[in-house]
Amino acid sequence: MEVFMHKNLRLSCLLICVTLIYSGCGLLLNTMGASLFLSWLFWNLFLAIVPVLFAMSAQFIHHKFQRWNIITFVFSALWLLFLPNACYMVTDLIYLDSSLFIGADGTYLPVLSSWIQLFYIVSSVFLALTCGLFSTHVIEEILPYKKKMLHRFWMIAISLLNGYGVYIGRFLRLNSWDILHPVFLIQKLLKNIDRFTIVFSLMIAVFYLVAYWIFRCMIENESFKS
């Protein structure tokens, strides 16, 4: 367990460092006229890092006491509460306007700033999603049960909650800290349940479930080699 924790700590530090370097490059590109959406993009990236911090905190407490306790549970609950912020950035691709890349005659436009914007936003989505997948793997390592079937049910449940969380953030414009107002939150959620809510949440859930399955296979393969 200690070996995995040290490895996770290195990976989490790497993610934070890459995010900081990425943000610095964004500021530099912006001063050069790239017109990046840095205000909301940096904020969303910060929120995507938060689940990693909570997951690592939960694993640290679990390793220290060698069992689950109330502090581990609290950090795990906070991780789950902020997890949708990582997958939320996938929907930020909507800010890419096709008119910036394709001309009226159907040809691709050689506008450098637009293509820089494309790669920068896609990179931020990849980075945020990696944070979410990694934090999920960290929490999975400290689960109190080892049966594969229970792990599958757990992952399906997490993916469904994650998908619904992305819907809440994107369309209801609610934030993770709105849980501090439970009455308002419940009323808002109950008033906004329809076919689109279910289908959209399921799409995100399936996307995250498949992405995590691939991520987990890669992690396990790497661990096997080492």
Side-chain angles (χ1 to χ4, degrees), residues 40 44 83-93 95 125 128-129 162 165-171 173-174 204:
W40 60 263
N44 287 348
L83 178 62
N85 292 307
C87 196
Y88 175 89
M89 287 199 70
V90 175
T91 64
D92 283 336
L93 293 173
Y95 292 108
V125 171
L129 185 59
N162 191 34
V166 173
Y167 166 81
I168 292 173
R170 173 57 70 189
F171 296 98
R173 310 305 297 166
L174 297 176
I204 296 294

Side-chain angles (χ1 to χ4, degrees), residues 49-90:
I49 285 289
V50 172
V52 175
L53 301 179
F54 283 136
M56 289 301 301
S57 299
Q59 188 176 64
F60 174 78
I61 297 298
H62 181 270
H63 174 72
K64 183 176 180 179
F65 294 96
Q66 294 299 313
R67 60 183 176 84
W68 275 74
N69 54 33
I70 185 62
I71 303 177
T72 308
F73 178 80
V74 169
F75 277 124
S76 298
L78 289 171
W79 161 78
L80 180 59
L81 186 64
F82 281 84
L83 178 62
N85 292 307
C87 196
Y88 175 89
M89 287 199 70
V90 175

